[in-house]
Amino acid sequence: MMRRLFLVIGPFVALSIFSVCPGSSALPLIPASTQRLRVMTYNIHVGVGMDKKLDLPRIAGVINAQHPDLVGLQEVDRGVTRTQRIDEMAELAKLTRMDYAFAFNLHYQGGQYGVAVLSRFPIRATDHRLYQNTREAERRGFIRAEVSVRGRLINFVTTHLDYQYDDGRLFEAQQLLSALKDLKNPLIVVGDFNDITAGQAYQLMRYQFGDAWTEGRPADEGFSYPADKPAKRIDYIFFRSTDRVRTKRAWIVNTLASDHVPVVADVGIGNH
């Protein structure tokens, strides 16, 4: 089924996009009092592993092994020469049997490159924004998916910030928070922030958001990059502090399928 995804005009460039929605698997049973979700963030490096081989089934296998409900993906190609002009999200959606939405942040080698969401639940609508940037040449942005979890809408966002400049990451994080500030339903933000916990972008996020890793695994460092010898924590799962979200547990997945390892968390969202 082809679904048109809505756009919201704001202080950023907004794009309307389309997604092909494969059949979703059966929804998990969730107690009425709490929505329990397994969330993953994964920079897939366009499907190329540390062995320099393009292998989307390998990426899908990493995802499927964790049984996530929501996945935020970064560095995704669609129709790009370097990745054999494959529509990577269509392929990953097929292999994981999940609904999806893709948003491209820039045109590259005849195709598109951007961020995406996989969801075990129906995606009702999306909002894609491009950030204004300072000096970095690569255009970046975020995609927000409104996901229907047993009749309750949850906002799930994934983004990928500037990797070169600290002030660039801060500027993009400010735009992200501005765009999300008026959302009423529970909000989860994941992504490759290219920022360590001492960085300005991370610190800005922590003023308003909890960090699933800090709450779920406070004794562990949670390094997610590079995959072969993780030395930095730059991939995060954030939840808005006012949404009564609690982390049950958090973990990383040791895999060389990408240059990052996935970060996963089980969270519970209480009713207001």
Side-chain angles (χ1 to χ4, degrees), residues 81-99:
T81 299
R82 68 180 172 191
T83 45
Q84 304 170 19
R85 297 199 173 277
I86 297 169
D87 184 337
E88 293 195 328
M89 281 315 300
E91 184 67 17
L92 287 173
K94 177 182 176 182
L95 292 169
T96 60
R97 300 182 62 194
M98 298 174 80
D99 199 356

Side-chain angles (χ1 to χ4, degrees), residues 9-84:
I9 303 297
F12 317 104
V13 179
L15 302 175
S16 67
I17 59 177
F18 294 83
S19 70
V20 180
C21 304
S24 298
S25 57
L27 300 183
L29 294 176
I30 300 173
S33 59
T34 303
Q35 305 289 6
R36 294 181 181 175
L37 294 172
R38 179 165 293 178
V39 179
M40 173 187 284
T41 183
Y42 195 11
N43 181 323
I44 66 168
H45 195 226
V46 301
V48 175
M50 296 301 289
D51 58 3
K52 309 301 182 184
K53 294 180 180 179
L54 172 64
D55 192 340
L56 287 178
R58 179 170 57 183
I59 294 288
V62 171
I63 295 170
N64 286 334
Q66 301 306 311
H67 307 288
D69 298 305
L70 296 169
V71 185
L73 300 175
Q74 306 88 43
E75 296 196 17
V76 182
D77 276 357
R78 171 181 279 174
V80 177
T81 299
R82 68 180 172 191
T83 45
Q84 304 170 19

Side-chain angles (χ1 to χ4, degrees), residues 99-236:
D99 199 356
Y100 82 93
F102 169 79
F104 70 95
N105 295 329
L106 60 94
H107 292 281
Y108 187 72
Q109 291 185 355
Q112 302 168 343
Y113 170 77
V115 291
V117 167
L118 287 168
S119 175
R120 193 75 60 192
F121 305 96
I123 297 174
R124 298 304 187 193
T126 68
D127 177 17
H128 174 216
R129 310 286 183 98
L130 291 174
Y131 300 130
Q132 299 174 32
N133 56 7
T134 52
R135 300 186 299 279
E136 190 186 42
E138 181 177 331
R139 199 69 188 272
R140 297 178 183 271
F142 73 83
I143 184 171
R144 174 175 63 88
E146 286 189 353
V147 180
S148 179
V149 180
R150 296 190 69 210
R152 184 181 187 184
L153 288 180
I154 292 175
N155 293 290
F156 184 65
V157 174
T158 189
T159 192
H160 186 194
L161 300 190
D162 186 331
Y163 83 97
Q164 292 181 290
Y165 305 108
D166 187 58
D167 60 342
R169 287 188 291 274
L170 177 61
F171 184 41
E172 290 168 350
Q174 290 168 338
Q175 293 172 73
L176 172 68
L177 292 177
S178 177
L180 302 177
K181 64 183 176 63
D182 294 326
L183 293 177
K184 304 302 181 185
N185 294 309
L187 170 63
I188 298 171
V189 179
V190 309
D192 175 0
F193 282 72
N194 275 312
D195 205 40
I196 61 174
T197 57
Q200 294 183 80
Y202 176 85
Q203 293 297 323
L204 179 64
M205 292 295 297
R206 289 291 276 126
Y207 281 124
Q208 300 178 33
F209 286 76
D211 179 340
W213 186 267
T214 300
E215 184 173 308
R217 294 288 293 272
D220 292 349
E221 294 174 306
F223 292 162
S224 58
Y225 178 84
D228 57 345
K229 295 180 180 179
K232 295 194 294 185
R233 186 159 84 95
I234 59 175
D235 300 275
Y236 301 102

